[in-house]
Amino acid sequence: AVEPLACSARGRVAAAGMTDPAARVETLVLSDGRTLTGTGNHPVWSASATDFVRLDAMRYGDTVLTLEVPPWN
């Protein structure tokens, strides 16, 4: 399973959007059950590779870096 790491972060998303509503999406399931869904070329920080890796290139056993952030107020 993909094992997430935790770190703290501050700030809010400044902008978000969808570039192609017909684009194929992939869903990465983390070992704790959380999911990350995005297009295959979406970059994900791989702690295993110490670099950004495409979402569709992540494999079983890779470790990703996730953020633990407080709930939005």
Side-chain angles (χ1 to χ4, degrees):
V2 177
E3 297 179 13
L5 301 174
C7 69
S8 61
R10 291 186 145 177
R12 294 183 183 260
V13 175
M18 183 182 303
T19 55
D20 181 0
R24 179 184 165 139
V25 295
E26 308 285 338
T27 298
L28 180 67
V29 180
L30 304 179
S31 59
D32 65 358
R34 289 184 295 166
T35 59
L36 172 63
T37 301
T39 56
N41 66 347
H42 187 85
V44 176
W45 181 258
S46 169
S48 303
T50 61
D51 200 357
F52 284 97
V53 175
R54 289 172 54 113
L55 180 62
D56 61 5
M58 297 298 295
R59 297 291 175 252
Y60 181 85
D62 288 347
T63 302
V64 300
L65 182 65
T66 63
L67 298 177
E68 292 292 332
V69 297
W72 300 111
N73 293 328

